[in-house]
Amino acid sequence: MDTAAIIREILTDYALHPRGFHGVVHWARVLENGLKLAEATGANQDVVTLFALFHDSRRVNDGHDWGHGLRGAQLAKRLRGNAFDLDDASFELLFRACEWHTEGESDSDLTVCTCWDADRLDLGRVGIRPDPKYLCTKAARSPAIIEWADKRARREFEPTFVIEGWGIPLDFPGE
Ligand SMILES: [Fe+2]
Ligand SMILES: [Fe+2]
C-alpha cells in the first residue's frame, strides 16, 4: 500500500496544520501502535493502516469536533479504488472504525477494536495515560504495551517515515 500517496491526497484538502496535535505525527504513531497490536490480535493490517491515516483526516478543529470520524470515513470511501484498494468486507470495517472511533466503546470485531486501541494508546500526547478500562483488546491492556506507547506519545516520538517516506519536513507549510 502506498501510504505516501494517500497522505498526499489527504493533505491536498486538510483543514488543520499537518503537524498539529491530531496531524500526521499522531497518524504515524497510531499506525505503529496498530501494527504492533495486530501482531497479537491478528487484526487486518491494511484496515489498521488505513484507519491510522483516515480517522482524523477530516478534522476541522482540535477539540471534540463532532462528526469528524464519519467525515474521515467518507473521504476513505471517495479515495477507495483510486489511492488504495480494499475488499468490501474489509472496507466495511474501516468505515465503521473511522465513523465510531470517538464514541465507540467496544466492537464485536477485533480489527475495529485494534484500530480504536491504537488511537487511544496515543493519548499521552495530551497528557492522558490510557486507562485499560477504555481499551477493548487484551493486547492493548498489557501494562508493557501501555508503557511503550504512552512514553512515545508523551515525548511526541516521530517515526522516521514521516519525513523520509511521507515527505513532511519539520517546516512543512500548513493550511
Ligand atoms: Fe479522532
Ligand atoms: Fe486520533
Side-chain angles (χ1 to χ4, degrees), residues 22 26-27 30 51 55-56 59 68 101 119 125:
H22 295 94
H26 166 57
W27 307 346
V30 172
F51 169 83
H55 78 288
D56 281 336
R59 274 184 166 275
H68 74 271
H101 78 271
D119 187 30
R125 74 194 189 287

Side-chain angles (χ1 to χ4, degrees), residues 2-5 7-8 19 24-25 28 32 157-170 172:
D2 188 352
T3 56
I7 290 286
R8 269 197 304 277
R19 284 187 165 276
V24 295
V25 181
E32 291 197 328
F157 170 80
E158 178 166 326
T160 53
F161 61 80
V162 173
I163 292 178
E164 290 166 15
W166 292 353
I168 317 286
L170 291 174
F172 192 85

